[in-house]
């Protein structure tokens, strides 16, 4: 994620994940979304959650991913 940001300088960055190997990516993105996954232990509270940059979905899998991305798009369209 850091290399991508440094190389492409995107206007916004979004990361979605549900596993421990996603934590670094979620924290590096401007907007991190932890997608609910009832089949694994939830991720611990991330620093980005304390600052509102990382959120968690209540819906799992594709439904959670879809709802979170649509909500983020609506927020970004306003700004």
């Amino acid at each position: 994620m850091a290399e991508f940001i440094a190389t492409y300088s995107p206007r916004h960055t979004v990361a979605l994940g549900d596993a421990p190997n996603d934590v670094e990516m979620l924290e590096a993105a401007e907007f991190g979304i932890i997608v609910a996954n009832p089949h694994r232990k939830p991720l611990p509270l991330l620093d980005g959650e304390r600052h509102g940059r990382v959120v968690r979905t209540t819906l799992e899998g594709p439904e959670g991913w879809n709802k979170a991305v649509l909500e983020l798009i609506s927020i970004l369209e306003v700004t």
Side-chain angles (χ1 to χ4, degrees):
M1 179 64 90
E3 185 177 332
F4 177 86
I5 293 169
T7 301
Y8 297 103
S9 301
R11 183 172 176 195
H12 298 289
T13 56
V14 181
L16 293 99
D18 67 351
N21 66 319
D22 297 324
V23 170
E24 187 177 353
M25 174 183 67
L26 291 162
E27 291 282 24
E30 179 182 3
F31 302 100
I33 301 167
I34 300 171
V35 180
N37 183 344
H39 304 291
R40 70 171 65 238
K41 183 179 173 183
L43 293 176
L45 182 69
L46 302 184
D47 189 51
E49 289 180 89
R50 292 183 184 101
H51 303 314
R53 289 186 316 94
V54 176
V55 297
R56 292 177 186 255
T57 67
T58 54
L59 298 174
E60 60 189 67
E63 290 84 10
W65 191 100
N66 184 56
K67 184 173 188 235
V69 169
L70 291 175
E71 287 175 358
L72 181 57
I73 288 170
S74 70
I75 290 167
L76 293 174
E77 286 179 339
V78 172
T79 60

